[in-house]
Amino acid sequence: MAFLDWRSPEHFDHTGDQPCVLCDKPTPLRSDNGKPVHKVCAEEWIDRHPPKEDGK
């Protein structure tokens, strides 16, 4: 199972919750790209979408 280390402050948006891009429930968490997403949702998505052989 994937494990993301989101302890750094840039993964928390103090301006308020937004709907998670994967489950639509509110979250203050943000991905590396700034998208609102729960850590658990992101980890589950990574597990379901493994990298392909050619790295894409």
Side-chain angles (χ1 to χ4, degrees), residues 3 7-8 11-12 18 21 26 29-30 32 39-45 47 50 53 56:
F3 177 76
R7 289 180 280 182
S8 61
H11 289 290
F12 187 84
Q18 291 185 9
V21 295
L29 298 176
R30 302 297 181 259
D32 289 343
K39 180 178 177 286
V40 172
C41 291
E43 290 168 341
E44 288 177 4
W45 188 91
D47 286 342
E53 294 280 326
K56 294 180 183 178

